Amino acid sequence: MNKSVTVRPATRTDAGPLIAVLAEAFHEGPLADWLIPDPDDRRTVYYRYFRDALQHGLQHGEVYTTGDQSAVTIWYPRLEPAPADTRQRLETLERIAGPYAPKFVLLEEMFDAAHPDQPHHYLAYAAVDPARQNRGVGAAMLTHHHRRLDQLGLPAYLEASNMRNRRLYLRHDYTAGLTIVLPSGGPTIWRMWRGAPTGTGRTPFPPTTAREAAQRRGWPR
């Protein structure tokens, strides 16, 4: 862990800088290009999307940042399958994304369909200010929460949207499960699992369920 990075719980007073970090960090990449091809529209929609994501995380999850607000992680304890209000979420995404809402809806449905049921903590978002990337900030943020999960004996789960992030998570003891391939020329998403510690290693990626198998055949529900 980078000892020069101070990790602390985020509060509502951090919202402005952290929304900007999320929107900027996710602005480039294959998933962003697929969701919103126009970069100017993307910047506008992403700010609204990540404002909603951060507010939801502060209310229902665990949000962490650094002393200089250059990074943010949003974790959700998923100790039992999470109930979903799909109608309300659809209305929210339509308000946030406008004409781009159908792809956001599809993305979230496919993520939900492939989500493991075994108790774990879910890393929904991890972002570092592009000006501070490649300096160990993201690794320090991960290590901070992983240490706690190991003490609790709990696994972690996330989706990696590019190869660079996938390699980072592999270095932090994650393993890759079945991928999610988005339609209409969309990118591949890597499902990543960091098992709970055991006497000989870590618990394996949970077996694929019937729900996940259906998702692999292109049926999100």
Side-chain angles (χ1 to χ4, degrees):
M1 180 175 178
N2 188 335
K3 294 183 179 180
S4 66
V5 177
T6 300
V7 182
R8 63 170 175 84
T11 69
R12 295 191 181 278
T13 60
D14 298 307
L18 298 189
I19 293 167
V21 167
L22 284 159
E24 192 64 30
F26 284 98
H27 187 262
E28 304 296 331
L31 180 58
D33 292 339
W34 179 79
L35 283 168
I36 306 178
D38 184 281
D40 293 330
D41 287 355
R42 187 187 309 153
R43 195 169 298 279
T44 300
V45 172
Y46 265 28
Y47 185 86
R48 293 197 297 260
Y49 183 84
F50 286 113
R51 179 176 58 193
D52 176 79
L54 185 70
Q55 291 172 347
H56 189 274
L58 287 169
Q59 185 175 358
H60 301 286
E62 299 180 10
V63 184
Y64 296 92
T65 187
T66 55
D68 60 1
Q69 300 172 309
S70 64
V72 55
T73 54
I74 303 177
W75 291 88
Y76 290 97
R78 293 283 290 266
L79 305 184
E80 57 186 30
D85 187 342
T86 54
R87 180 174 180 178
Q88 182 178 1
R89 187 57 184 162
L90 175 60
E91 292 174 353
T92 298
L93 288 173
E94 287 176 341
R95 184 178 69 254
I96 289 171
Y100 302 105
K103 282 189 175 179
F104 280 86
V105 172
L106 177 60
L107 177 70
E108 293 193 3
E109 286 185 339
M110 295 184 78
F111 278 10
D112 287 346
H115 205 110
D117 290 332
Q118 182 174 326
H120 63 279
H121 278 208
Y122 173 47
L123 180 56
Y125 302 100
V128 178
D129 183 336
R132 292 292 312 277
Q133 291 179 4
N134 301 313
R135 300 183 186 181
V137 178
M141 296 285 283
L142 290 173
T143 300
H144 176 268
H145 201 76
H146 289 162
R147 183 181 296 116
R148 178 181 162 210
L149 291 182
D150 285 350
Q151 292 171 349
L152 294 172
L154 284 172
Y157 173 78
L158 58 85
E159 300 99 0
S161 60
N162 59 57
M163 286 296 294
R164 178 174 172 271
N165 290 343
R166 181 180 184 273
R167 288 192 291 269
L168 169 66
Y169 296 126
L170 289 173
R171 291 197 298 271
H172 284 266
D173 297 324
Y174 285 81
T175 57
L178 293 176
T179 59
I180 298 171
V181 181
L182 298 173
S184 304
T188 297
I189 305 296
W190 287 272
R191 301 165 63 244
M192 311 291 292
W193 180 264
R194 183 179 185 272
T198 68
T200 57
R202 294 190 177 275
T203 55
F205 208 115
T208 301
T209 65
R211 181 186 57 163
E212 293 164 359
Q215 184 275 333
R216 290 278 296 171
R217 294 193 294 272
W219 307 329
R221 287 292 178 191

